[in-house]
Amino acid sequence: DVKVTQSSRYLVKRTGEKVFLECVQDMDHENMFWYRQDPGLGLRLIYFSYDVKMKEKGDIPEGYSVSREKKERFSLILESASTNQTSMYLCASSRATEPQYFGPGTRLLVL
Amino acid sequence: GDSVTQMEGPVTLSEEAFLTINCTYTATGYPSLFWYVQYPGEGLQLLLKATKADDKGSNKGFEATYRKETTSFHLEKGSVQVSDSAVYFCALSHSGGSNYKLTFGKGTLLTVNP
């Protein structure tokens, strides 16, 4: 079975802190994705990566950056957390044209 | 751009009732269509998919048929169970190349009562 793991299920941070969300997949997938999920808005793509060191902006990249130094790991970085970044963050991975597999999510609260 | 519209919830049903969750899409070309399910406290799981017109995806008693003429991919189940209570997301993608991105609907919360 494909396994996508995220470093934390719940996280509480203060405004202005630098926040790292980590995602690891164990199936040698080329593609990895970061989404945020908000009530009434569904899932929105923040960034994705289709290869090591490659990244592309999604629909809402502002305030976020990403890093992919190894194929299995994709990190989402909030350079200076703000309260409007309080959300559920979901990581996903996939092989080239196959469906995406999702991690369990990280619920981030920024105070 | 691409978009997915699904019926707003919440949907509340009694056990063994028939379920329909409507989903329509706007996209160029021939997207692949998906239904994902999110159980409480978990990430999304792929429920079923269809990759071309008239394909029927099915899994765990759920079905959806890719209707290009009506740009729809409605989710159905003949007899729901309490364990089907979850949020259901309709999604599309244009596969091929490196840009395999999903566009999601906003989700429909289903609650099934005993």
Side-chain angles (χ1 to χ4, degrees):
Chain A
D1 276 357
V2 176
K3 193 158 188 186
V4 180
T5 56
Q6 295 184 228
S7 50
S8 306
R9 292 300 300 270
Y10 301 94
L11 212 50
V12 180
K13 296 292 181 181
R14 298 254 175 227
T15 302
E17 279 193 73
K18 191 169 186 175
V19 181
F20 292 87
L21 302 182
E22 303 285 334
C23 176
V24 177
Q25 50 93 5
D26 66 356
M27 286 302 292
D28 201 37
H29 285 171
E30 297 87 358
N31 301 323
M32 296 189 75
F33 307 81
W34 276 107
Y35 296 88
R36 64 177 283 177
Q37 182 180 12
D38 299 288
L41 297 176
L43 276 80
R44 294 178 291 168
L45 181 65
I46 305 171
Y47 267 98
F48 70 101
S49 167
Y50 51 89
D51 201 353
V52 175
K53 297 190 185 294
M54 305 302 288
K55 61 184 179 184
E56 286 197 25
K57 293 179 179 179
D59 300 318
I60 51 163
E62 297 79 16
Y64 303 94
S65 62
V66 291
S67 172
R68 192 165 181 201
E69 297 296 320
K70 294 185 178 181
K71 192 174 186 180
E72 67 271 17
R73 187 179 298 270
F74 191 36
S75 302
L76 179 69
I77 303 155
L78 287 65
E79 294 289 342
S80 178
S82 63
T83 54
N84 63 12
Q85 292 178 310
T86 290
S87 186
M88 168 75 93
Y89 290 88
L90 291 166
C91 175
S93 72
S94 73
R95 219 174 280 286
T97 58
E98 293 180 358
Q100 294 179 22
Y101 292 88
F102 284 79
T106 296
R107 193 170 290 281
L108 173 66
L109 173 62
V110 182
L111 300 174
Chain B
D2 296 343
S3 67
V4 175
T5 302
Q6 60 182 104
M7 64 187 287
E8 291 192 22
V11 174
T12 302
L13 296 173
S14 297
E15 210 165 19
E16 300 184 3
F18 184 85
L19 168 71
T20 300
I21 301 178
N22 290 336
C23 171
T24 57
Y25 67 89
T26 301
T28 55
Y30 301 92
S32 295
L33 302 175
F34 307 86
W35 278 100
Y36 280 83
V37 59
Q38 185 178 34
Y39 298 104
E42 298 184 13
L44 275 70
Q45 300 176 25
L46 178 66
L47 181 59
L48 53 84
K49 67 175 183 177
T51 57
K52 61 183 188 296
D54 299 325
D55 264 4
K56 179 186 282 189
S58 61
N59 186 25
K60 299 182 182 179
F62 291 89
E63 293 183 341
T65 301
Y66 189 143
R67 301 284 188 201
K68 186 157 176 58
E69 64 276 10
T70 54
T71 62
S72 65
F73 193 54
H74 304 321
L75 182 68
E76 295 182 337
K77 186 174 186 183
S79 176
V80 293
Q81 305 300 312
V82 172
S83 57
D84 294 327
S85 297
V87 181
Y88 292 82
F89 292 92
C90 184
L92 68 82
S93 77
H94 288 283
S95 57
S98 63
N99 293 330
Y100 185 73
K101 296 189 290 183
L102 284 168
T103 299
F104 285 91
K106 293 183 178 179
T108 302
L109 173 62
L110 170 67
T111 301
V112 180
N113 295 318

